Amino acid sequence: MSGCATLASEPVVVGCQAADTVTTVQGLERGGREVNPIVAGIIAAGGITAFVATKVGITLVILHYHSEISTGILATANVLTCGAAAHNATVLKKLPPKDAAGE
């Protein structure tokens, strides 16, 4: 059970959300595309700034209600979010450097 508690902790929430946000932004800046249709819609409507603001807002809501959300749900959400960041990092290795991507 301690593994789930660790995966559900507030620092892990912040770390996974930050990792997903940073790797997503880096990927987009280097020519990658967003495959999550919800995130793609947010970016299409308001750009990267709207995406980052949404991620910050989601993180703050999770932290505000952290004690009321089940450990299992938090742990699962964090594993999925950090998994997305890990996937993004793998994609980033295949993309050209930022300067070569169009700057």
Side-chain angles (χ1 to χ4, degrees):
M1 227 18 190
S2 68
C4 274
T6 299
L7 284 173
S9 69
E10 290 179 344
V12 175
V13 168
V14 172
C16 289
Q17 290 292 332
D20 184 39
T21 302
V22 169
T23 57
T24 297
V25 170
Q26 288 177 345
L28 293 170
E29 288 177 342
R30 290 174 49 191
R33 66 181 182 87
E34 178 56 57
V35 296
N36 178 325
I38 295 169
V39 174
I42 292 167
I43 293 167
I48 290 177
T49 302
F51 166 67
V52 173
T54 300
K55 291 291 276 186
V56 169
I58 288 168
T59 303
L60 291 173
V61 167
I62 293 169
L63 293 175
H64 181 77
Y65 291 103
H66 188 269
S67 64
E68 299 172 38
I69 304 170
S70 82
T71 300
I73 289 174
L74 284 166
T76 300
N78 288 338
V79 166
L80 292 172
T81 304
C82 274
H87 171 74
N88 292 346
T90 300
V91 171
L92 280 167
K93 290 179 184 179
K94 299 174 186 175
L95 293 173
K98 186 176 179 181
D99 292 335
E103 287 190 13

